[in-house]
Amino acid sequence: MAKYEKISYELDGSIAVIAFDDDKTLNACGVDTAIELLHAFEVAAKEARCTILTGKGRGFCSGANLGGMGGGPQIAHPDSVPDAGKALDAFYNPLVTAIREHPHPVITAVNGAAAGVGCAIGLMGDLVIAAKSAYFLQAFRRIGLVPDGGSSYLLAKTIGRVRAMEMALLGEKLPAETALQWGLVNRVVEDAELMAVAKDFAVKLATGPTVALSLARQCIWDACDDDFGAALHNERVAQRTAGRTEDFREGVTAFLQKRPAEFKGK
């Protein structure tokens, strides 16, 4: 088991639980944290059938770690022309891409602040569960930067141009209940129930037909970019793959026998 300093990792049956775990910075995501998260998702991809990402302590993630030049390895010579995008290429973009391309469903359980790049990461979940204390904040304007970590894409695709502009240009906190009304999250629950609800969803996903669920999530991600014809083609190819799995045969057999299916993820 890998050792982490900024996050925690737990395997609960077929469910991987990854958590930001640096309460002194309100779970800021420096490049060192991004490196650990990327590795944890690699591990989860191999040994789990559903992954939950959450934050321990007072919040989900307060954004990039501005206090320590990103809180990780030096990625440019100190005399080089400043390039605030270097860390995106090297660390943050590979992380959100890995979440998008994860081989099984990802649930984000958002508690407290999800700000800056933490907002983007929180919205990367296939299912987004928010505690009543949660809020989403595009904080970049406060420090003279632009939304990153896929924020512009996620917001525009999810809540539309007008509301995405409001979040990016005004930089105001979006409470969990408003996020639910806007269609940015799937559920808002009491703080004390956040992980219980997330795990309940995770159990349903982890005991489901993993290959089919993985293909379904990928088709939907791709459909955000493709035209209708491409979506039809992707569904056709995915259906061929899913139709060759043991889970498909079990699902049909269970349906005909009028019993619950016992999926194995194969």
Side-chain angles (χ1 to χ4, degrees), residues 153-190:
Y153 177 96
L154 291 165
L155 294 174
K157 291 289 185 180
T158 305
I159 58 177
R161 178 183 63 85
V162 173
R163 284 174 168 164
M165 287 288 190
E166 180 176 337
M167 290 188 68
L169 300 184
L170 298 182
E172 298 174 343
K173 294 180 181 180
L174 188 73
E177 292 289 356
T178 306
L180 180 64
Q181 294 169 11
W182 285 12
L184 201 60
V185 305
N186 297 92
R187 300 284 191 280
V188 173
V189 301
E190 298 291 341

Short mmCIF file of all heavy atoms in Angstrom, two decimals, residues 153-190:
data_model
loop_
_atom_site.label_atom_id
_atom_site.label_comp_id
_atom_site.label_asym_id
_atom_site.label_seq_id
_atom_site.Cartn_x
_atom_site.Cartn_y
_atom_site.Cartn_z
N TYR A 153 -15.19 24.15 -19.29
CA TYR A 153 -15.90 23.09 -20.01
C TYR A 153 -17.03 22.53 -19.15
O TYR A 153 -18.18 22.42 -19.60
CB TYR A 153 -14.91 21.99 -20.37
CG TYR A 153 -15.51 20.78 -21.05
CD1 TYR A 153 -15.49 20.66 -22.43
CD2 TYR A 153 -16.07 19.75 -20.31
CE1 TYR A 153 -16.02 19.55 -23.06
CE2 TYR A 153 -16.61 18.63 -20.93
CZ TYR A 153 -16.58 18.54 -22.30
OH TYR A 153 -17.12 17.44 -22.92
N LEU A 154 -16.71 22.15 -17.92
CA LEU A 154 -17.70 21.50 -17.05
C LEU A 154 -18.89 22.41 -16.79
O LEU A 154 -20.04 21.98 -16.83
CB LEU A 154 -17.04 21.11 -15.73
CG LEU A 154 -16.01 19.99 -15.80
CD1 LEU A 154 -15.17 19.95 -14.52
CD2 LEU A 154 -16.70 18.65 -16.03
N LEU A 155 -18.62 23.68 -16.51
CA LEU A 155 -19.71 24.61 -16.21
C LEU A 155 -20.56 24.91 -17.44
O LEU A 155 -21.79 24.88 -17.38
CB LEU A 155 -19.15 25.90 -15.62
CG LEU A 155 -18.49 25.77 -14.24
CD1 LEU A 155 -17.85 27.08 -13.83
CD2 LEU A 155 -19.50 25.31 -13.19
N ALA A 156 -19.92 25.20 -18.56
CA ALA A 156 -20.67 25.53 -19.76
C ALA A 156 -21.52 24.35 -20.22
O ALA A 156 -22.67 24.52 -20.64
CB ALA A 156 -19.72 25.96 -20.88
N LYS A 157 -20.98 23.13 -20.12
CA LYS A 157 -21.72 21.95 -20.56
C LYS A 157 -22.84 21.59 -19.58
O LYS A 157 -23.84 21.01 -19.98
CB LYS A 157 -20.76 20.76 -20.68
CG LYS A 157 -19.76 20.86 -21.82
CD LYS A 157 -20.44 20.71 -23.17
CE LYS A 157 -19.43 20.69 -24.30
NZ LYS A 157 -20.08 20.54 -25.63
N THR A 158 -22.66 21.91 -18.31
CA THR A 158 -23.60 21.47 -17.28
C THR A 158 -24.70 22.49 -17.02
O THR A 158 -25.89 22.15 -16.97
CB THR A 158 -22.87 21.17 -15.97
OG1 THR A 158 -21.83 20.21 -16.21
CG2 THR A 158 -23.83 20.58 -14.94
N ILE A 159 -24.33 23.76 -16.85
CA ILE A 159 -25.33 24.76 -16.45
C ILE A 159 -25.53 25.86 -17.49
O ILE A 159 -26.33 26.76 -17.28
CB ILE A 159 -24.98 25.40 -15.09
CG1 ILE A 159 -23.59 26.06 -15.12
CG2 ILE A 159 -25.04 24.35 -13.99
CD1 ILE A 159 -23.23 26.77 -13.82
N GLY A 160 -24.81 25.77 -18.62
CA GLY A 160 -25.01 26.73 -19.69
C GLY A 160 -24.13 27.96 -19.58
O GLY A 160 -23.55 28.26 -18.54
N ARG A 161 -24.06 28.70 -20.70
CA ARG A 161 -23.15 29.83 -20.80
C ARG A 161 -23.44 30.91 -19.77
O ARG A 161 -22.54 31.44 -19.13
CB ARG A 161 -23.22 30.43 -22.21
CG ARG A 161 -22.33 31.66 -22.41
CD ARG A 161 -22.51 32.24 -23.80
NE ARG A 161 -23.86 32.72 -24.02
CZ ARG A 161 -24.29 33.94 -23.66
NH1 ARG A 161 -23.48 34.79 -23.04
NH2 ARG A 161 -25.53 34.31 -23.91
N VAL A 162 -24.72 31.27 -19.61
CA VAL A 162 -25.06 32.42 -18.77
C VAL A 162 -24.66 32.17 -17.31
O VAL A 162 -24.04 33.02 -16.67
CB VAL A 162 -26.57 32.74 -18.88
CG1 VAL A 162 -26.95 33.81 -17.87
CG2 VAL A 162 -26.89 33.20 -20.29
N ARG A 163 -25.03 31.02 -16.77
CA ARG A 163 -24.69 30.73 -15.38
C ARG A 163 -23.20 30.47 -15.22
O ARG A 163 -22.61 30.81 -14.18
CB ARG A 163 -25.53 29.56 -14.89
CG ARG A 163 -26.96 29.98 -14.60
CD ARG A 163 -27.86 28.83 -14.24
NE ARG A 163 -29.14 29.32 -13.72
CZ ARG A 163 -30.22 28.59 -13.59
NH1 ARG A 163 -30.19 27.30 -13.95
NH2 ARG A 163 -31.34 29.10 -13.11
N ALA A 164 -22.56 29.85 -16.22
CA ALA A 164 -21.11 29.65 -16.16
C ALA A 164 -20.40 31.00 -16.09
O ALA A 164 -19.43 31.18 -15.33
CB ALA A 164 -20.64 28.85 -17.37
N MET A 165 -20.88 31.95 -16.90
CA MET A 165 -20.30 33.30 -16.87
C MET A 165 -20.47 33.92 -15.49
O MET A 165 -19.54 34.56 -14.96
CB MET A 165 -20.99 34.19 -17.91
CG MET A 165 -20.63 33.88 -19.33
SD MET A 165 -18.94 34.39 -19.74
CE MET A 165 -18.97 34.18 -21.52
N GLU A 166 -21.63 33.75 -14.88
CA GLU A 166 -21.87 34.32 -13.56
C GLU A 166 -20.87 33.78 -12.55
O GLU A 166 -20.29 34.55 -11.76
CB GLU A 166 -23.30 34.00 -13.11
CG GLU A 166 -23.64 34.56 -11.74
CD GLU A 166 -25.08 34.32 -11.35
OE1 GLU A 166 -25.92 34.12 -12.26
OE2 GLU A 166 -25.38 34.34 -10.14
N MET A 167 -20.66 32.46 -12.55
CA MET A 167 -19.72 31.88 -11.59
C MET A 167 -18.29 32.35 -11.84
O MET A 167 -17.56 32.67 -10.91
CB MET A 167 -19.79 30.36 -11.65
CG MET A 167 -21.07 29.77 -11.08
SD MET A 167 -21.01 27.97 -10.94
CE MET A 167 -19.77 27.77 -9.63
N ALA A 168 -17.89 32.40 -13.12
CA ALA A 168 -16.51 32.76 -13.45
C ALA A 168 -16.22 34.24 -13.28
O ALA A 168 -15.15 34.63 -12.78
CB ALA A 168 -16.19 32.32 -14.88
N LEU A 169 -17.16 35.08 -13.70
CA LEU A 169 -16.89 36.52 -13.71
C LEU A 169 -17.14 37.18 -12.36
O LEU A 169 -16.45 38.14 -12.00
CB LEU A 169 -17.74 37.20 -14.79
CG LEU A 169 -17.51 36.71 -16.23
CD1 LEU A 169 -18.34 37.55 -17.19
CD2 LEU A 169 -16.03 36.76 -16.61
N LEU A 170 -18.13 36.69 -11.62
CA LEU A 170 -18.43 37.30 -10.32
C LEU A 170 -17.67 36.65 -9.18
O LEU A 170 -17.40 37.29 -8.17
CB LEU A 170 -19.94 37.25 -10.04
CG LEU A 170 -20.83 38.01 -11.02
CD1 LEU A 170 -22.29 37.91 -10.58
CD2 LEU A 170 -20.39 39.47 -11.14
N GLY A 171 -17.34 35.38 -9.31
CA GLY A 171 -16.58 34.70 -8.26
C GLY A 171 -17.31 34.62 -6.94
O GLY A 171 -16.69 34.78 -5.88
N GLU A 172 -18.63 34.41 -6.98
CA GLU A 172 -19.41 34.30 -5.76
C GLU A 172 -19.64 32.84 -5.38
O GLU A 172 -19.70 31.96 -6.24
CB GLU A 172 -20.77 35.00 -5.95
CG GLU A 172 -20.63 36.49 -6.23
CD GLU A 172 -21.98 37.14 -6.56
OE1 GLU A 172 -22.93 36.39 -6.89
OE2 GLU A 172 -22.06 38.38 -6.48
N LYS A 173 -19.80 32.60 -4.09
CA LYS A 173 -20.07 31.24 -3.62
C LYS A 173 -21.43 30.77 -4.13
O LYS A 173 -22.42 31.51 -4.06
CB LYS A 173 -20.07 31.18 -2.09
CG LYS A 173 -18.72 31.45 -1.45
CD LYS A 173 -18.83 31.36 0.08
CE LYS A 173 -17.50 31.64 0.74
NZ LYS A 173 -17.59 31.57 2.22
N LEU A 174 -21.48 29.54 -4.62
CA LEU A 174 -22.73 28.92 -5.03
C LEU A 174 -23.09 27.85 -4.01
O LEU A 174 -22.46 26.80 -3.97
CB LEU A 174 -22.59 28.30 -6.42
CG LEU A 174 -23.90 27.80 -7.05
CD1 LEU A 174 -24.76 28.98 -7.49
CD2 LEU A 174 -23.61 26.87 -8.22
N PRO A 175 -24.09 28.12 -3.15
CA PRO A 175 -24.46 27.15 -2.11
C PRO A 175 -24.96 25.85 -2.72
O PRO A 175 -25.45 25.82 -3.86
CB PRO A 175 -25.56 27.87 -1.33
CG PRO A 175 -25.44 29.30 -1.70
CD PRO A 175 -24.91 29.34 -3.09
N ALA A 176 -24.88 24.78 -1.94
CA ALA A 176 -25.26 23.46 -2.40
C ALA A 176 -26.69 23.43 -2.94
O ALA A 176 -26.96 22.83 -3.99
CB ALA A 176 -25.10 22.44 -1.28
N GLU A 177 -27.62 24.06 -2.22
CA GLU A 177 -29.02 24.02 -2.65
C GLU A 177 -29.21 24.71 -4.01
O GLU A 177 -29.99 24.25 -4.85
CB GLU A 177 -29.92 24.68 -1.59
CG GLU A 177 -30.01 23.90 -0.29
CD GLU A 177 -30.81 22.61 -0.40
OE1 GLU A 177 -31.36 22.35 -1.50
OE2 GLU A 177 -30.88 21.87 0.60
N THR A 178 -28.50 25.80 -4.23
CA THR A 178 -28.57 26.47 -5.53
C THR A 178 -27.93 25.62 -6.61
O THR A 178 -28.43 25.53 -7.74
CB THR A 178 -27.89 27.85 -5.48
OG1 THR A 178 -28.46 28.62 -4.41
CG2 THR A 178 -28.08 28.61 -6.78
N ALA A 179 -26.83 24.96 -6.27
CA ALA A 179 -26.17 24.06 -7.22
C ALA A 179 -27.12 22.94 -7.64
O ALA A 179 -27.13 22.53 -8.81
CB ALA A 179 -24.90 23.47 -6.59
N LEU A 180 -27.94 22.48 -6.71
CA LEU A 180 -28.92 21.44 -7.03
C LEU A 180 -29.99 22.00 -7.97
O LEU A 180 -30.36 21.36 -8.96
CB LEU A 180 -29.55 20.90 -5.76
CG LEU A 180 -30.62 19.81 -5.93
CD1 LEU A 180 -30.00 18.55 -6.53
CD2 LEU A 180 -31.28 19.50 -4.59
N GLN A 181 -30.47 23.20 -7.68
CA GLN A 181 -31.48 23.82 -8.53
C GLN A 181 -30.96 24.06 -9.94
O GLN A 181 -31.70 23.93 -10.92
CB GLN A 181 -31.94 25.15 -7.91
CG GLN A 181 -32.67 25.02 -6.59
CD GLN A 181 -32.87 26.36 -5.90
OE1 GLN A 181 -32.63 27.43 -6.49
NE2 GLN A 181 -33.27 26.32 -4.64
N TRP A 182 -29.70 24.37 -10.05
CA TRP A 182 -29.10 24.63 -11.36
C TRP A 182 -28.74 23.34 -12.11
O TRP A 182 -28.38 23.40 -13.27
CB TRP A 182 -27.83 25.47 -11.18
CG TRP A 182 -28.09 26.91 -10.88
CD1 TRP A 182 -29.27 27.49 -10.53
CD2 TRP A 182 -27.12 27.96 -10.90
NE1 TRP A 182 -29.11 28.83 -10.33
CE2 TRP A 182 -27.80 29.16 -10.56
CE3 TRP A 182 -25.76 28.03 -11.19
CZ2 TRP A 182 -27.17 30.39 -10.50
CZ3 TRP A 182 -25.11 29.25 -11.11
CH2 TRP A 182 -25.80 30.42 -10.77
N GLY A 183 -28.80 22.20 -11.44
CA GLY A 183 -28.44 20.94 -12.08
C GLY A 183 -26.95 20.65 -12.07
O GLY A 183 -26.45 19.88 -12.88
N LEU A 184 -26.25 21.26 -11.11
CA LEU A 184 -24.81 21.07 -11.02
C LEU A 184 -24.45 19.85 -10.19
O LEU A 184 -23.36 19.30 -10.32
CB LEU A 184 -24.17 22.33 -10.41
CG LEU A 184 -22.69 22.58 -10.65
CD1 LEU A 184 -22.39 22.70 -12.14
CD2 LEU A 184 -22.26 23.86 -9.93
N VAL A 185 -25.35 19.43 -9.29
CA VAL A 185 -25.12 18.26 -8.44
C VAL A 185 -26.35 17.36 -8.50
O VAL A 185 -27.45 17.78 -8.89
CB VAL A 185 -24.83 18.66 -6.97
CG1 VAL A 185 -23.66 19.64 -6.89
CG2 VAL A 185 -26.07 19.26 -6.31
N ASN A 186 -26.15 16.09 -8.09
CA ASN A 186 -27.26 15.12 -8.12
C ASN A 186 -28.10 15.13 -6.86
O ASN A 186 -29.32 14.94 -6.92
CB ASN A 186 -26.70 13.70 -8.33
CG ASN A 186 -26.00 13.54 -9.65
OD1 ASN A 186 -24.79 13.72 -9.73
ND2 ASN A 186 -26.75 13.22 -10.69
N ARG A 187 -27.47 15.29 -5.70
CA ARG A 187 -28.17 15.25 -4.42
C ARG A 187 -27.54 16.25 -3.46
O ARG A 187 -26.33 16.50 -3.51
CB ARG A 187 -28.08 13.85 -3.77
CG ARG A 187 -28.68 12.71 -4.56
CD ARG A 187 -30.20 12.69 -4.51
NE ARG A 187 -30.72 11.45 -5.06
CZ ARG A 187 -30.86 11.20 -6.36
NH1 ARG A 187 -30.47 12.09 -7.25
NH2 ARG A 187 -31.37 10.03 -6.77
N VAL A 188 -28.37 16.78 -2.56
CA VAL A 188 -27.88 17.54 -1.42
C VAL A 188 -28.40 16.84 -0.18
O VAL A 188 -29.61 16.57 -0.06
CB VAL A 188 -28.37 19.00 -1.44
CG1 VAL A 188 -27.98 19.72 -0.16
CG2 VAL A 188 -27.78 19.74 -2.65
N VAL A 189 -27.49 16.51 0.75
CA VAL A 189 -27.87 15.74 1.94
C VAL A 189 -27.30 16.41 3.19
O VAL A 189 -26.43 17.28 3.11
CB VAL A 189 -27.34 14.29 1.84
CG1 VAL A 189 -27.89 13.60 0.59
CG2 VAL A 189 -25.81 14.25 1.82
N GLU A 190 -27.81 15.99 4.34
CA GLU A 190 -27.25 16.47 5.60
C GLU A 190 -25.77 16.11 5.68
O GLU A 190 -25.35 15.06 5.20
CB GLU A 190 -27.99 15.85 6.78
CG GLU A 190 -29.47 16.19 6.87
CD GLU A 190 -29.72 17.65 7.21
OE1 GLU A 190 -28.79 18.30 7.72
OE2 GLU A 190 -30.85 18.13 6.97
#
